[in-house]
Amino acid sequence: MAGQDLKALADRAATEIAAAADEAALEASRVRYLGRKEGALSEATKKLASLPPPERPAYGAAVNDAKIRIEKALEAREAALRDAALARELGQEREDLSLPPRRVRLGRLHPISQTMREVSRIFATLGFETVEGPEIEWDYYNFEALNIPPGHPAREKWQTLWISNPLGDDPSRPILGRTHTSPMQVRIMEERRPPIRVVIPGRCYRYEATDAIRESIFFQYEGLAIDEKLTMADLKGTLYAFARQVFGSDRKIRFRVDYFPFTEPSAEIAFDCFACEGKDPNCHVCGGDGWIEAAGCGMVHPDVLRRVGYDPTRYQGFAFGGGIERIAMLKTGAPDIRLFYQNDIRYLEQF
Ligand code: PHE
C-alpha cells in the first residue's frame, strides 16, 4: 500500500465508522482497521520493514496519520452513540408530577431521653453541671469505693451482670454493668477538687425479674455536691426545688431515714402525690399512699471522702440518686416501665 492508498483507506474507514448503527457495528470496524492480527493497518505496518530505508520515514508517517484519523473517528462515533442512547432513555421515562409525595415522618426523642434532658435542665438552673460516665464499670467504683467490700450484704441488693474482663480476665479487677450511677461520685471526686456540683444521668443494670416498675436495664440520675459548708439542709433544699420544677410549685417532700453504705446519714425522699395530693385512697399514681418514693440520698460518707484524698473535717457534701423511668412514668401516666423499651412506635410517639 502506498501513502495515497493509506489516505484512501482512512477516508473509507472514517465514512464507515460515522455510519455505524450501534456498538457492535463500531466494534467490527475497529477490528477491521485496527485489529492486531488482520486489521488493515497492521498489514500496512508489517510492510514497513520490507521497504528500502529511504522510503520508510514517509511511509511510517502515513501509517501513523491514518491510524490517528481512524481512532478519532471511532471515539467520536462512540460518544455520539452513547449520547443518543441516553437521550432515548430519558425520552421514555415519565415522571408523574401529580403523585402526592411520600410523607416524611419526623422522629422525636424517646420519652426517657426527654426526661433525662429535663432533669439535666432543672439541675442546671440549680448550678449543677451534667456529666456522663461508663456503663461498664470496675467492681471498685461500683462497690468497693462506696464502702461495699466483697461479701458485704448490700451486694445482694445490687446483683448485676458480670463481664469477662477484656484486659486479661484479671479476677482481682472484675467488671460489671454498673448497678447505679453512684460510682460516678467517686470518679468525679478523683478527677476534681471541691467545690463540685454535678448531675449524672445514665443507664444502669441489675439482675432483676422484670415487672411493671422494674427492668434489668434502666436509667438513673445521680447528684453530687461537695463544698466546705454543705449540710443536710442544702440537700433538702436542692431536692425540694427539683421536685417543684418537675411536678409543680405546690409539691411537698418527705424525708425518711434509710440506709446506704456510702452516705451517712442516709435518707429516702418522697414527693407528695401531684395527682391526688393524698386525698384519693384509690389514686392510680400513688396507690392511695399520698407519697411517691423518688430517690435515695444522704451526706457523703467520710470514708468515701478519705478514699479519694479529701479531708472530711474540711469538706462535706451530699449525694442523691433516683430513677429516670419513675419520673417519666409519673409525668406521662405510663402504667408499665416495659412500655418504654418495647419500641412500639404507637406508644412512643404519644410523647
Ligand atoms: N445509688 C443508690 C441506689 O441506686 C441511690 C443513692 C444515691 C443513695 C446517692 C444515696 C446517695 O439505690
Side-chain angles (χ1 to χ4, degrees):
M1 231 187 285
Q4 295 291 348
D5 300 334
L6 278 167
K7 195 175 167 302
L9 175 80
D11 287 343
R12 210 173 345 112
T15 316
E16 187 186 306
I17 288 166
D22 53 26
E23 290 229 352
L26 202 62
E27 187 54 26
S29 298
R30 186 195 311 278
V31 172
R32 181 153 43 246
Y33 295 102
L34 300 181
R36 283 245 186 120
K37 277 195 180 149
E38 273 148 30
L41 276 186
S42 335
E43 297 290 312
T45 312
K46 274 177 214 149
K47 211 185 108 185
L48 194 62
S50 62
L51 287 179
E55 290 177 25
R56 286 184 198 168
Y59 186 77
V63 172
N64 221 22
D65 281 350
K67 192 175 161 218
I68 288 170
R69 278 189 58 202
I70 296 173
E71 278 172 350
K72 286 209 166 124
L74 282 166
E75 252 169 54
R77 186 60 187 157
E78 202 180 331
L81 284 175
R82 220 179 15 238
D83 288 352
L86 185 63
R88 225 172 16 252
E89 233 172 72
L90 290 177
Q92 277 161 6
E93 272 174 21
R94 287 274 175 278
E95 300 285 352
D96 182 352
L97 297 179
S98 67
L99 274 178
R102 219 170 276 163
R103 224 177 106 219
V104 178
R105 283 164 57 109
L106 260 193
R108 72 189 72 189
L109 286 177
H110 190 281
I112 296 303
S113 304
Q114 290 180 30
T115 309
M116 283 201 285
R117 290 196 180 190
E118 170 83 347
V119 168
S120 284
R121 189 191 61 73
I122 293 172
F123 281 112
T125 68
L126 301 172
F128 286 73
E129 170 198 356
T130 294
V131 291
E132 289 185 303
E135 292 172 17
I136 303 304
E137 187 54 283
W138 298 108
D139 176 284
Y140 176 76
Y141 289 110
N142 196 82
F143 291 129
E144 290 209 52
L146 296 171
N147 296 339
I148 314 172
H152 192 288
R155 289 195 180 219
E156 299 265 299
K157 177 174 152 189
W158 286 305
Q159 284 198 56
T160 185
L161 305 162
W162 295 85
I163 291 149
S164 67
N165 185 344
L167 305 176
D169 266 306
D170 175 356
S172 70
R173 296 203 72 193
I175 51 179
L176 44 84
R178 66 177 174 193
T179 60
H180 48 182
T181 39
S182 300
M184 277 304 288
Q185 291 183 28
V186 182
R187 283 182 178 271
I188 291 288
M189 286 191 285
E190 278 181 352
E191 243 170 53
R192 304 184 183 186
R193 298 277 103 189
I196 291 174
R197 263 186 197 71
V198 290
V199 60
I200 307 113
R203 195 183 270 113
C204 304
Y205 303 80
R206 280 184 202 176
Y207 178 72
E208 197 85 77
T210 67
D211 61 22
I213 56 164
R214 264 175 282 267
E215 258 290 9
S216 47
I217 299 179
F218 60 100
F219 287 83
Q220 281 194 339
Y221 59 97
E222 187 86 9
L224 175 72
I226 306 281
D227 212 331
E228 294 197 15
K229 291 189 177 71
L230 288 177
T231 68
M232 201 93 181
D234 298 299
L235 167 61
K236 203 168 172 181
T238 301
L239 291 177
Y240 189 33
F242 174 66
R244 292 166 68 118
Q245 284 206 50
V246 179
F247 294 115
S249 56
D250 303 330
R251 294 285 60 80
K252 299 186 186 67
I253 62 173
R254 179 189 73 185
F255 273 91
R256 286 206 300 202
V257 173
D258 202 339
Y259 169 75
F260 296 100
F262 41 95
T263 44
E264 184 60 36
S266 302
E268 164 224 281
I269 146 170
F271 306 144
D272 71 323
C273 181
F274 64 91
C276 75
E277 302 193 312
K279 291 178 194 134
D280 178 3
N282 301 313
C283 177
H284 64 285
V285 173
C286 67
D289 182 48
W291 295 96
I292 300 161
E293 275 178 37
C297 58
M299 300 305 289
V300 178
H301 197 291
D303 285 348
V304 175
L305 295 174
R306 254 180 235 117
R307 208 171 278 117
V308 296
Y310 289 6
D311 173 2
T313 61
R314 179 166 174 206
Y315 295 114
Q316 329 75 45
F318 59 84
F320 52 88
I324 294 281
E325 285 86 353
R326 169 52 66 94
I327 295 176
M329 287 174 79
L330 293 172
K331 288 202 78 136
T332 63
D336 193 316
I337 190 173
R338 289 167 294 197
L339 285 166
F340 291 131
Y341 301 116
Q342 282 160 354
N343 279 336
D344 185 333
I345 286 289
R346 290 168 304 178
Y347 181 74
L348 295 177
E349 73 183 357
Q350 298 172 55
F351 308 108

